[in-house]
Amino acid sequence: MPRLTRDEMRGRAQTVRGLVDPAVLGSTLMHEHLIWDLRPPPLRSGDQGEEPGLANHWGMTTSMAGSPANLHQPSAEVAIEAVAEAVAAGCETIVELTIGGISPDPEGLLRVSDATGCHIVMGCGHYVEEYQFPENHHRSVDDFAAEMVAQVQEGLWGTAVRAGLIGEIGCQNPWTPLERRVLEAALIAQQETGAALTIHPGRRQDQPQEVMEFIAARGGDPSRTIMDHIDRTIMDDDALFRLADTGVVLEWDLFGQESCLYPHNWDVDMPNDAGRLRAIRKVLDRGHRGQVVIAHDICHRSHMTRWGGWGYAHIHRNVLPLMRRRGFSEAEIREILVETPRRLLTFA
Ligand SMILES: [Zn+2]
């Protein structure tokens, strides 16, 4: 596959269909999964449990009673139907962060983009340690970095489809040595390609801060770094403001999830959508313009409308009217959905 040069990419964005003028991206969801396998590897064979349905919907969507079957969405046809709903509601670009360990399907996403007209920007790199390929334990920082550079400049996972940003790079609490090596490699790949970097932090309130210190020590650029899953990670204003002061872009990406029962971390009070907007309001009022993006991070089939969930159109259909009722200006909404994503997705 031909290798794009830094000069060919600078000032442009890269979707699954190729390089584009960033002006075409429009209204953008910065963190979704369209085709994925989030089953922990030991659960990928054997009994897959119940299919998501009406009778088990509450347990499936809250993860209080999930099944492996609910964590696996391999169908491009299902994704096409779901993305078409988002496009009809006003979504123009979806950032798809299914990466190494959770079964990325670049050619499937190309079909989804062709069928729906939605721009799809893919991530690259590797997710949290439990999902990583066994051979990754023996790989060096330079090896991971070279792989990510090639995924941006040449192609992803043996295809000609290229990545448009790096991540979601998986970090946990406690943060493992393998995950640190992958993030260190991602920083090298970011410097070589000019791509933005998006990070899945561990579930502890100051873990994102730990990640930002790691990045600062290695000369990373916080303004081209996105900290995902703020909604399930940071509960108090001091921690939120301290993180915002690093200059990182904060991502509230669990819109639609409204359960206070969060089995992955019982210590957090997961906000509902109004609570998310209150937190975003505080950050904007403190002057952090251009540091907020949003999404749904759909990764259970029961989150999708076909299985009774809110789906990828929820932000455009339901949250934007709520933002207007809560006093967000059109300029603020445009900054969150259009301008900040466009800046991030434009190669430096
Ligand atoms: Zn994700």
Side-chain angles (χ1 to χ4, degrees):
M1 277 153 258
R3 189 170 194 123
L4 294 174
T5 66
R6 180 89 186 254
D7 282 341
E8 287 172 296
M9 305 189 80
R10 188 177 288 115
R12 313 197 72 190
Q14 185 157 258
T15 74
V16 293
R17 288 189 277 183
L19 290 173
V20 297
D21 178 348
V24 307
L25 296 176
S27 197
T28 301
L29 299 172
M30 281 299 289
H31 189 140
E32 304 296 345
H33 302 275
L34 300 173
I35 301 174
W36 74 85
D37 188 353
L38 206 65
R39 294 174 298 176
L43 302 182
R44 289 184 184 181
S45 55
D47 182 8
Q48 296 301 296
E50 290 179 38
E51 277 289 299
L54 190 56
N56 60 22
H57 183 72
W58 185 86
M60 291 274 176
T61 54
T62 58
S63 300
M64 292 298 289
S67 70
N70 191 37
L71 301 177
H72 187 205
Q73 198 311 90
S75 163
E77 282 65 39
V78 165
I80 287 169
E81 172 191 278
V83 170
E85 292 169 12
V87 169
C91 174
E92 295 168 276
T93 296
I94 291 178
V95 174
E96 216 282 4
L97 297 178
T98 304
I99 56 168
I102 50 178
S103 298
D105 182 0
E107 284 169 349
L109 294 178
L110 181 57
R111 284 173 53 206
V112 175
S113 182
D114 284 340
T116 60
C118 189
H119 300 290
I120 297 177
V121 177
M122 273 190 87
C124 66
H126 297 273
Y127 194 52
V128 296
E129 178 162 338
E130 283 86 327
Y131 289 87
Q132 289 197 32
F133 312 125
E135 60 268 27
N136 281 10
H137 289 272
H138 310 292
R139 296 177 60 191
S140 67
V141 169
D142 286 347
D143 188 32
F144 283 125
E147 178 186 55
M148 286 184 246
V149 171
Q151 289 179 330
V152 172
Q153 296 181 339
E154 284 178 59
L156 280 154
W157 315 114
T159 75
V161 175
R162 298 182 179 95
L165 79 169
I166 298 166
E168 57 179 305
I169 299 300
C171 307
Q172 292 184 92
N173 176 49
W175 196 6
T176 74
L178 172 59
E179 291 164 349
R180 286 171 196 256
R181 289 209 303 283
V182 174
L183 182 59
E184 190 168 351
L187 291 164
I188 294 168
Q190 179 179 36
Q191 275 162 7
E192 278 190 38
T193 61
L197 168 63
T198 188
I199 295 172
H200 167 107
R203 293 181 179 87
R204 191 190 77 226
Q205 185 154 261
D206 45 1
Q207 212 281 324
Q209 198 73 29
E210 185 182 9
V211 169
M212 292 314 295
E213 283 160 18
F214 182 94
I215 288 173
R218 285 156 186 78
D221 181 353
S223 76
R224 297 199 52 71
T225 305
I226 306 152
M227 194 59 68
D228 309 342
H229 314 323
I230 295 298
D231 357 18
R232 60 87 164 134
T233 312
I234 297 191
M235 296 299 125
D236 73 62
D237 289 353
D238 284 351
L240 181 62
F241 296 157
R242 198 163 60 245
L243 186 64
D245 285 340
T246 67
V248 72
V249 176
L250 308 167
E251 182 175 278
W252 279 265
D253 51 22
L254 302 174
F255 274 90
Q257 290 195 37
E258 302 220 309
S259 174
C260 62
L261 302 167
Y262 185 54
H264 304 298
N265 183 356
W266 291 107
D267 295 334
V268 308
D269 294 338
M270 178 92 89
N272 63 15
D273 287 347
R276 292 181 174 96
L277 294 183
R278 265 204 308 280
I280 291 171
R281 181 77 264 156
K282 283 183 203 168
V283 165
L284 295 184
D285 286 347
R286 200 161 170 270
H288 299 286
R289 301 297 302 266
Q291 272 182 265
V292 174
V293 291
I294 59 176
H296 311 93
D297 191 17
I298 283 182
C299 59
H300 291 15
R301 280 196 279 148
S302 59
H303 296 166
M304 301 172 79
T305 52
R306 176 188 271 245
W307 287 283
W310 46 93
Y312 303 90
H314 174 64
I315 284 178
H316 287 87
R317 201 181 273 157
N318 305 316
V319 176
L320 295 195
L322 180 62
M323 290 175 86
R324 293 186 177 107
R325 281 200 297 276
R326 297 289 163 100
F328 283 79
S329 70
E330 293 306 315
E332 287 169 335
I333 292 172
R334 192 175 161 75
E335 187 175 273
I336 290 168
L337 277 168
V338 179
E339 291 162 7
T340 303
R342 185 177 63 212
R343 174 180 73 73
L344 290 163
L345 295 175
T346 301
F347 285 90

